[in-house]
Amino acid sequence: DAGVIQSPRHEVTEMGQEVTLRCKPISGHNSLFWYRQTMMRGLELLIYFNNNVPIDDSGMPEDRFSAKMPNASFSTLKIQPSEPRDSAVYFCASSVSIGEQYFGPGTRLTVT
Amino acid sequence: KQEVTQIPAALSVPEGENLVLNCSFTDSAIYNLQWFRQDPGKGLTSLLLIQSSQREQTSGRLNASLDKSSGRSTLYIAASQPGDSATYLCATFGRGSTLGRLYFGRGTQLTVWP
């Protein structure tokens, strides 16, 4: 079984550029979560979707961040424009409803 | 807002010891609780999920217990091995208006030396 798939695994970009992170959840899972992990703040939930609908986006830091889930097998997290303080590891996770969550390998983002 | 605390922050032990990792949370009205391990530079691997109606779960050498009334969970690792070296995180599931959210502790960094 393929787990949660994220791309790219590493992204280095300059301040002001647009960054798009991609996630493919586990087939059959109907909930999808985006997290950010930093040394300073640990793991934080940014947004989660249930049946492709955003349910809670209160963790999205500001308007520069946006997330979409156009279908059950794909989601994107976009940062525009990016800033150095956005540097972090971004994880996508999926689950069946409010059940056990399975995490992807993460995208390590560096904004210079 | 739910606050999750894990003690100790780091632990270094010789191979073969039995270990207890602690997790406490401020709001006892949780839905479920999940334990993860994270290897350096990797994602999170789910270890155990304790549902709200359960008191404990076991998987191999791992046993996790949950006492919602006291706001505590413990992860017991029997006969530790060097391969157990990783950071262990616990996370509580919110209820009601926060249903679906996971609140994470900062983790316990475990090193098991041969």
Side-chain angles (χ1 to χ4, degrees):
Chain A
D1 267 351
V4 176
I5 298 172
Q6 292 186 245
S7 65
R9 294 293 308 278
H10 302 273
E11 177 81 31
V12 179
T13 191
E14 292 184 348
M15 182 173 63
Q17 296 298 305
E18 177 180 296
V19 175
T20 299
L21 311 182
R22 297 173 177 79
C23 175
K24 177 178 170 56
I26 293 171
S27 178
H29 284 192
N30 63 342
S31 294
L32 183 140
F33 307 81
W34 283 102
Y35 292 90
R36 178 170 68 176
Q37 187 176 38
T38 61
M39 289 293 291
M40 185 75 70
R41 300 173 68 92
L43 264 166
E44 302 174 285
L45 177 69
L46 300 177
I47 185 171
Y48 83 90
F49 297 84
N50 191 48
N51 294 323
N52 311 337
V53 175
I55 302 299
D56 183 350
D57 65 354
S58 60
M60 296 285 264
E62 47 199 276
D63 292 345
R64 298 183 297 105
F65 286 68
S66 63
K68 293 182 180 179
M69 192 164 186
N71 57 62
S73 59
F74 184 67
S75 177
T76 59
L77 178 68
K78 186 175 293 187
I79 307 172
Q80 165 64 15
S82 58
E83 297 182 3
R85 61 193 168 117
D86 301 331
S87 297
V89 181
Y90 291 81
F91 289 105
C92 177
S94 70
S95 68
V96 175
S97 295
I98 314 301
E100 190 169 1
Q101 291 192 18
Y102 295 87
F103 279 65
T107 296
R108 182 174 296 276
L109 173 64
T110 303
V111 183
T112 61
Chain B
K1 182 189 167 186
Q2 177 76 280
E3 299 286 339
V4 180
T5 304
Q6 292 187 245
I7 294 173
L11 187 61
S12 181
V13 299
E15 182 176 10
E17 285 208 358
N18 299 323
L19 309 172
V20 175
L21 308 183
N22 296 295
C23 172
S24 62
F25 42 94
T26 54
D27 184 353
S28 62
I30 65 170
Y31 187 64
N32 298 332
L33 185 142
Q34 192 168 353
W35 281 92
F36 297 87
R37 72 174 275 168
Q38 185 173 27
D39 293 280
K42 306 285 188 181
L44 279 68
T45 300
S46 178
L47 296 174
L48 292 164
L49 173 75
I50 309 178
Q51 297 184 344
S52 59
S53 59
Q54 297 174 320
R55 295 287 299 234
E56 66 178 325
Q57 274 285 1
T58 298
S59 176
R61 294 182 294 108
L62 305 179
N63 175 275
S65 65
L66 173 62
D67 183 348
K68 290 198 293 183
S69 62
S70 66
R72 294 176 189 274
S73 177
T74 59
L75 178 67
Y76 178 81
I77 304 175
S80 57
Q81 303 171 357
D84 295 330
S85 298
T87 296
Y88 291 79
L89 298 128
C90 74
T92 62
F93 286 67
R95 294 184 75 102
S97 63
T98 63
L99 188 66
R101 295 185 69 92
L102 275 183
Y103 296 91
F104 281 88
R106 297 304 298 270
T108 294
Q109 186 173 359
L110 173 66
T111 302
V112 182
W113 39 278

